[in-house]
Amino acid sequence: MLFDERPKESLRDFYDMRESVEGFIKGVRSGRALILVLGMRRTGKTSLVRSCLNELGYPYVMVDLKGFWGSPGSSLHEFYTVLEESINRFIGRWRRLTSYLKLVEGVAIHGFSVRLKTGGRRRFNLTSFLHRLDDVGRDYGRAVLVFDEAQLFRNVNGLNIVQHVSYAYDNLRNLVVVLTGSEIGLLYDLLRIGDPGSPLYGRYVYEVRTRRFSRGESMEFLREGFREYGLEVPGPVIEEAVDLLDGVPGWLTLYGSMYVSLRSRDVVYRVLEKASRIVHEELEKFLATRGVARRRYVAALKLLAEQPASWSEIKRSIEYLEGRRVSDRSLYNILQNLVKTGMVEKKDGEYRITDPILKYSVKTMPSTHR
């Protein structure tokens, strides 16, 4: 169903985005060592990967790192707990593969589940795990390891994931590593592909992008979703929702789901409120790590929530609010971080907020200046 708010599992329920689907399937089938799936939040990256991999039928493990958002300094043990849960979901689909995992150093098998040993001399060995996945790929045509929101590895202490990805790239011919990322600049920073000091320097990285729907695609998405429930929703109601939600698939899905339940024209405003609370929590996690610079981030975001603005306009606005000069270096760091996290984009010399819900959420935030 198009209005199912959970990540899609089948291409039958994954609306359009033919170019992204074809690109991802081509990358996996051709055995690209490293695939990046990039796009702003709630544009269907997780749904794209799951649906395509289920269509292809290759064994895969998908590790969701979203729990590390706003949690810098997370331990290696916490990561291994998430990995263990992911492996057990993998076994739920491919139970016969426990025979491969028995050979992984630091893995204990209990029926059709595994436990990763994170202490002692025979602790879990990630390289050994990658080798066993490669063995699975050799026997089943391909194996895929997915890290969802991979830029969040920067919050995990004691793990050089780039080193492991590079090792798989160079040595494991039957394993495809997929990294998704909505904070695209931060993911690039993590991988440092253009840095001669990075283990991935000079490696070819295959990229697939997700995107927002056009106005026409948004209209048709909602119409088609409503048809699945036998509903004929008036055109002006659909147009109002499309105007406010601006082509973001996740928000359009939430709107459709809530409209089916409530059947009211004001549903779109309830969506704005509910989605705004979700985004506000994410924004607060980000701002909590900014220290004393928090007020400047809020000031910049509030200006951009009203209209696109140039560097000099943002600088003047913050200086006016603070009553003092703001250094170019300070402003550069603020804007670079906002762009890298995907909250802001720069186009034609102006900065702007692209997510309509983030824009709405920022407008309702209290100012930190007196």
Short mmCIF file of all heavy atoms in Angstrom, two decimals, residues 251-289:
data_model
loop_
_atom_site.label_atom_id
_atom_site.label_comp_id
_atom_site.label_asym_id
_atom_site.label_seq_id
_atom_site.Cartn_x
_atom_site.Cartn_y
_atom_site.Cartn_z
N TRP A 251 6.32 12.74 3.83
CA TRP A 251 5.23 13.56 4.37
C TRP A 251 3.95 13.33 3.58
O TRP A 251 2.85 13.35 4.17
CB TRP A 251 5.62 15.02 4.35
CG TRP A 251 6.84 15.36 5.14
CD1 TRP A 251 7.86 16.20 4.76
CD2 TRP A 251 7.21 14.89 6.45
NE1 TRP A 251 8.82 16.28 5.73
CE2 TRP A 251 8.45 15.48 6.79
CE3 TRP A 251 6.62 14.02 7.36
CZ2 TRP A 251 9.09 15.23 8.00
CZ3 TRP A 251 7.26 13.76 8.57
CH2 TRP A 251 8.47 14.35 8.88
N LEU A 252 4.04 13.11 2.29
CA LEU A 252 2.84 12.81 1.51
C LEU A 252 2.24 11.48 1.94
O LEU A 252 1.01 11.33 2.00
CB LEU A 252 3.20 12.76 0.01
CG LEU A 252 3.58 14.10 -0.63
CD1 LEU A 252 4.17 13.88 -2.02
CD2 LEU A 252 2.38 15.04 -0.71
N THR A 253 3.09 10.51 2.27
CA THR A 253 2.60 9.22 2.75
C THR A 253 1.88 9.38 4.09
O THR A 253 0.81 8.81 4.31
CB THR A 253 3.78 8.24 2.91
OG1 THR A 253 4.39 8.04 1.63
CG2 THR A 253 3.32 6.90 3.45
N LEU A 254 2.47 10.16 4.99
CA LEU A 254 1.84 10.41 6.28
C LEU A 254 0.49 11.10 6.10
O LEU A 254 -0.50 10.74 6.75
CB LEU A 254 2.76 11.27 7.15
CG LEU A 254 2.22 11.69 8.52
CD1 LEU A 254 1.91 10.47 9.38
CD2 LEU A 254 3.22 12.60 9.24
N TYR A 255 0.44 12.07 5.20
CA TYR A 255 -0.82 12.76 4.92
C TYR A 255 -1.87 11.77 4.41
O TYR A 255 -3.01 11.77 4.89
CB TYR A 255 -0.60 13.86 3.89
CG TYR A 255 -1.89 14.43 3.34
CD1 TYR A 255 -2.65 15.33 4.09
CD2 TYR A 255 -2.36 14.05 2.08
CE1 TYR A 255 -3.84 15.83 3.60
CE2 TYR A 255 -3.55 14.56 1.59
CZ TYR A 255 -4.29 15.44 2.35
OH TYR A 255 -5.48 15.93 1.87
N GLY A 256 -1.50 10.95 3.43
CA GLY A 256 -2.45 9.99 2.88
C GLY A 256 -2.97 9.04 3.94
O GLY A 256 -4.17 8.76 4.01
N SER A 257 -2.08 8.55 4.79
CA SER A 257 -2.48 7.62 5.85
C SER A 257 -3.45 8.27 6.82
O SER A 257 -4.47 7.66 7.21
CB SER A 257 -1.22 7.14 6.59
OG SER A 257 -1.56 6.32 7.68
N MET A 258 -3.17 9.51 7.21
CA MET A 258 -4.05 10.19 8.16
C MET A 258 -5.37 10.59 7.52
O MET A 258 -6.43 10.52 8.16
CB MET A 258 -3.33 11.41 8.73
CG MET A 258 -2.17 11.06 9.66
SD MET A 258 -1.32 12.51 10.37
CE MET A 258 -2.63 13.20 11.39
N TYR A 259 -5.34 10.96 6.24
CA TYR A 259 -6.59 11.35 5.57
C TYR A 259 -7.53 10.15 5.46
O TYR A 259 -8.74 10.28 5.65
CB TYR A 259 -6.31 11.92 4.18
CG TYR A 259 -7.54 12.54 3.56
CD1 TYR A 259 -7.79 13.90 3.68
CD2 TYR A 259 -8.46 11.76 2.86
CE1 TYR A 259 -8.93 14.47 3.13
CE2 TYR A 259 -9.61 12.31 2.32
CZ TYR A 259 -9.84 13.67 2.45
OH TYR A 259 -10.97 14.24 1.92
N VAL A 260 -6.97 8.99 5.14
CA VAL A 260 -7.79 7.78 5.02
C VAL A 260 -8.51 7.49 6.33
O VAL A 260 -9.66 7.04 6.34
CB VAL A 260 -6.91 6.58 4.60
CG1 VAL A 260 -7.66 5.26 4.79
CG2 VAL A 260 -6.47 6.73 3.15
N SER A 261 -7.86 7.78 7.45
CA SER A 261 -8.47 7.52 8.76
C SER A 261 -9.46 8.60 9.17
O SER A 261 -10.53 8.31 9.72
CB SER A 261 -7.38 7.40 9.83
OG SER A 261 -6.53 6.32 9.57
N LEU A 262 -9.15 9.88 8.89
CA LEU A 262 -9.93 10.99 9.43
C LEU A 262 -10.90 11.61 8.43
O LEU A 262 -11.88 12.25 8.84
CB LEU A 262 -8.99 12.06 9.98
CG LEU A 262 -8.02 11.58 11.09
CD1 LEU A 262 -7.04 12.68 11.46
CD2 LEU A 262 -8.81 11.14 12.32
N ARG A 263 -10.60 11.50 7.14
CA ARG A 263 -11.47 12.00 6.06
C ARG A 263 -11.86 13.47 6.28
O ARG A 263 -13.02 13.85 6.17
CB ARG A 263 -12.75 11.16 5.95
CG ARG A 263 -12.56 9.66 5.96
CD ARG A 263 -12.06 9.15 4.63
NE ARG A 263 -11.82 7.72 4.67
CZ ARG A 263 -12.67 6.78 4.24
NH1 ARG A 263 -13.83 7.14 3.73
NH2 ARG A 263 -12.35 5.51 4.30
N SER A 264 -10.87 14.32 6.58
CA SER A 264 -11.15 15.73 6.85
C SER A 264 -10.14 16.59 6.10
O SER A 264 -8.96 16.25 5.99
CB SER A 264 -11.05 16.01 8.35
OG SER A 264 -11.10 17.40 8.61
N ARG A 265 -10.62 17.74 5.60
CA ARG A 265 -9.74 18.62 4.84
C ARG A 265 -8.62 19.20 5.70
O ARG A 265 -7.53 19.49 5.19
CB ARG A 265 -10.56 19.76 4.22
CG ARG A 265 -9.70 20.69 3.36
CD ARG A 265 -10.53 21.54 2.46
NE ARG A 265 -9.68 22.28 1.52
CZ ARG A 265 -10.15 22.89 0.43
NH1 ARG A 265 -11.43 22.83 0.13
NH2 ARG A 265 -9.32 23.54 -0.37
N ASP A 266 -8.86 19.34 7.01
CA ASP A 266 -7.83 19.93 7.85
C ASP A 266 -6.75 18.93 8.26
O ASP A 266 -5.87 19.27 9.06
CB ASP A 266 -8.45 20.60 9.08
CG ASP A 266 -9.03 19.59 10.07
OD1 ASP A 266 -9.01 18.38 9.78
OD2 ASP A 266 -9.50 20.02 11.14
N VAL A 267 -6.80 17.72 7.70
CA VAL A 267 -5.78 16.72 8.00
C VAL A 267 -4.38 17.24 7.70
O VAL A 267 -3.43 16.96 8.43
CB VAL A 267 -6.04 15.41 7.22
CG1 VAL A 267 -4.79 14.52 7.18
CG2 VAL A 267 -7.18 14.64 7.85
N VAL A 268 -4.23 18.01 6.64
CA VAL A 268 -2.90 18.48 6.25
C VAL A 268 -2.27 19.32 7.36
O VAL A 268 -1.05 19.28 7.58
CB VAL A 268 -2.96 19.27 4.93
CG1 VAL A 268 -3.72 20.58 5.09
CG2 VAL A 268 -1.56 19.51 4.39
N TYR A 269 -3.10 20.04 8.12
CA TYR A 269 -2.56 20.85 9.21
C TYR A 269 -2.19 19.98 10.41
O TYR A 269 -1.23 20.27 11.14
CB TYR A 269 -3.56 21.93 9.61
CG TYR A 269 -3.86 22.85 8.44
CD1 TYR A 269 -5.04 22.72 7.71
CD2 TYR A 269 -2.93 23.80 8.03
CE1 TYR A 269 -5.29 23.54 6.61
CE2 TYR A 269 -3.17 24.62 6.94
CZ TYR A 269 -4.34 24.48 6.23
OH TYR A 269 -4.57 25.27 5.14
N ARG A 270 -2.91 18.88 10.58
CA ARG A 270 -2.53 17.91 11.61
C ARG A 270 -1.20 17.24 11.24
O ARG A 270 -0.38 16.96 12.10
CB ARG A 270 -3.62 16.85 11.78
CG ARG A 270 -4.95 17.40 12.25
CD ARG A 270 -5.87 16.29 12.70
NE ARG A 270 -7.19 16.77 13.01
CZ ARG A 270 -8.10 16.07 13.70
NH1 ARG A 270 -7.80 14.86 14.13
NH2 ARG A 270 -9.29 16.57 13.95
N VAL A 271 -1.04 16.98 9.95
CA VAL A 271 0.22 16.41 9.48
C VAL A 271 1.37 17.37 9.76
O VAL A 271 2.44 16.96 10.22
CB VAL A 271 0.14 16.07 7.98
CG1 VAL A 271 1.51 15.70 7.43
CG2 VAL A 271 -0.84 14.94 7.74
N LEU A 272 1.15 18.64 9.47
CA LEU A 272 2.18 19.65 9.73
C LEU A 272 2.59 19.63 11.20
O LEU A 272 3.77 19.69 11.54
CB LEU A 272 1.70 21.03 9.33
CG LEU A 272 1.66 21.34 7.84
CD1 LEU A 272 0.98 22.70 7.60
CD2 LEU A 272 3.05 21.35 7.24
N GLU A 273 1.61 19.53 12.08
CA GLU A 273 1.91 19.53 13.52
C GLU A 273 2.63 18.25 13.94
O GLU A 273 3.63 18.30 14.67
CB GLU A 273 0.61 19.69 14.32
CG GLU A 273 -0.05 21.05 14.19
CD GLU A 273 0.81 22.17 14.75
OE1 GLU A 273 1.64 21.91 15.63
OE2 GLU A 273 0.66 23.31 14.29
N LYS A 274 2.14 17.10 13.49
CA LYS A 274 2.75 15.83 13.87
C LYS A 274 4.16 15.72 13.30
O LYS A 274 5.11 15.36 14.01
CB LYS A 274 1.90 14.66 13.38
CG LYS A 274 2.47 13.29 13.74
CD LYS A 274 1.55 12.16 13.30
CE LYS A 274 2.15 10.81 13.67
NZ LYS A 274 1.25 9.68 13.28
N ALA A 275 4.31 16.01 12.02
CA ALA A 275 5.62 15.92 11.38
C ALA A 275 6.58 16.93 11.97
O ALA A 275 7.78 16.65 12.13
CB ALA A 275 5.48 16.13 9.87
N SER A 276 6.06 18.10 12.33
CA SER A 276 6.91 19.13 12.92
C SER A 276 7.50 18.66 14.24
O SER A 276 8.65 18.95 14.56
CB SER A 276 6.11 20.42 13.12
OG SER A 276 6.91 21.41 13.71
N ARG A 277 6.72 17.93 15.03
CA ARG A 277 7.23 17.41 16.30
C ARG A 277 8.37 16.42 16.06
O ARG A 277 9.37 16.41 16.79
CB ARG A 277 6.11 16.75 17.09
CG ARG A 277 5.11 17.73 17.69
CD ARG A 277 4.23 17.08 18.73
NE ARG A 277 3.36 16.06 18.16
CZ ARG A 277 2.16 16.29 17.66
NH1 ARG A 277 1.67 17.52 17.65
NH2 ARG A 277 1.43 15.30 17.18
N ILE A 278 8.22 15.59 15.03
CA ILE A 278 9.27 14.62 14.69
C ILE A 278 10.55 15.35 14.29
O ILE A 278 11.64 15.05 14.78
CB ILE A 278 8.80 13.70 13.54
CG1 ILE A 278 7.60 12.86 13.99
CG2 ILE A 278 9.94 12.81 13.06
CD1 ILE A 278 6.94 12.09 12.85
N VAL A 279 10.41 16.32 13.40
CA VAL A 279 11.56 17.07 12.91
C VAL A 279 12.18 17.90 14.04
O VAL A 279 13.41 18.03 14.13
CB VAL A 279 11.15 17.96 11.73
CG1 VAL A 279 12.26 18.94 11.37
CG2 VAL A 279 10.81 17.09 10.52
N HIS A 280 11.33 18.43 14.92
CA HIS A 280 11.85 19.24 16.02
C HIS A 280 12.75 18.40 16.93
O HIS A 280 13.81 18.88 17.38
CB HIS A 280 10.69 19.82 16.83
CG HIS A 280 11.12 20.64 18.00
ND1 HIS A 280 11.64 21.91 17.87
CD2 HIS A 280 11.15 20.36 19.33
CE1 HIS A 280 11.96 22.38 19.06
NE2 HIS A 280 11.67 21.46 19.97
N GLU A 281 12.37 17.16 17.19
CA GLU A 281 13.20 16.28 18.01
C GLU A 281 14.56 16.05 17.35
O GLU A 281 15.60 16.07 18.01
CB GLU A 281 12.49 14.95 18.24
CG GLU A 281 11.29 15.04 19.17
CD GLU A 281 10.60 13.72 19.34
OE1 GLU A 281 11.14 12.69 18.86
OE2 GLU A 281 9.51 13.68 19.96
N GLU A 282 14.54 15.82 16.04
CA GLU A 282 15.80 15.61 15.31
C GLU A 282 16.66 16.88 15.35
O GLU A 282 17.88 16.81 15.54
CB GLU A 282 15.50 15.22 13.86
CG GLU A 282 14.77 13.88 13.74
CD GLU A 282 14.34 13.60 12.30
OE1 GLU A 282 14.47 14.52 11.45
OE2 GLU A 282 13.87 12.49 12.02
N LEU A 283 16.01 18.03 15.15
CA LEU A 283 16.74 19.30 15.15
C LEU A 283 17.35 19.56 16.53
O LEU A 283 18.50 20.02 16.63
CB LEU A 283 15.80 20.44 14.76
CG LEU A 283 16.39 21.84 14.74
CD1 LEU A 283 17.58 21.92 13.79
CD2 LEU A 283 15.31 22.85 14.33
N GLU A 284 16.61 19.27 17.58
CA GLU A 284 17.13 19.50 18.93
C GLU A 284 18.34 18.62 19.22
O GLU A 284 19.27 19.05 19.90
CB GLU A 284 16.02 19.26 19.97
CG GLU A 284 15.03 20.40 20.09
CD GLU A 284 15.68 21.69 20.57
OE1 GLU A 284 16.67 21.63 21.33
OE2 GLU A 284 15.22 22.77 20.18
N LYS A 285 18.33 17.39 18.72
CA LYS A 285 19.49 16.51 18.89
C LYS A 285 20.73 17.12 18.22
O LYS A 285 21.84 17.06 18.74
CB LYS A 285 19.21 15.12 18.32
CG LYS A 285 18.24 14.30 19.14
CD LYS A 285 18.01 12.94 18.51
CE LYS A 285 17.05 12.10 19.34
NZ LYS A 285 16.81 10.76 18.72
N PHE A 286 20.51 17.70 17.04
CA PHE A 286 21.61 18.35 16.34
C PHE A 286 22.10 19.58 17.11
O PHE A 286 23.29 19.76 17.34
CB PHE A 286 21.16 18.74 14.93
CG PHE A 286 22.12 19.65 14.22
CD1 PHE A 286 23.27 19.15 13.63
CD2 PHE A 286 21.87 21.01 14.14
CE1 PHE A 286 24.17 19.99 12.98
CE2 PHE A 286 22.74 21.87 13.47
CZ PHE A 286 23.90 21.34 12.90
N LEU A 287 21.17 20.43 17.53
CA LEU A 287 21.53 21.67 18.20
C LEU A 287 22.20 21.42 19.55
O LEU A 287 23.01 22.22 20.01
CB LEU A 287 20.29 22.55 18.38
CG LEU A 287 19.68 23.11 17.10
CD1 LEU A 287 18.36 23.82 17.41
CD2 LEU A 287 20.65 24.08 16.41
N ALA A 288 21.84 20.30 20.19
CA ALA A 288 22.41 19.98 21.50
C ALA A 288 23.92 19.78 21.44
O ALA A 288 24.62 19.89 22.45
CB ALA A 288 21.74 18.74 22.08
N THR A 289 24.43 19.48 20.24
CA THR A 289 25.88 19.25 20.07
C THR A 289 26.61 20.51 19.62
O THR A 289 27.82 20.48 19.39
CB THR A 289 26.13 18.13 19.05
OG1 THR A 289 25.70 18.57 17.75
CG2 THR A 289 25.39 16.86 19.43
#
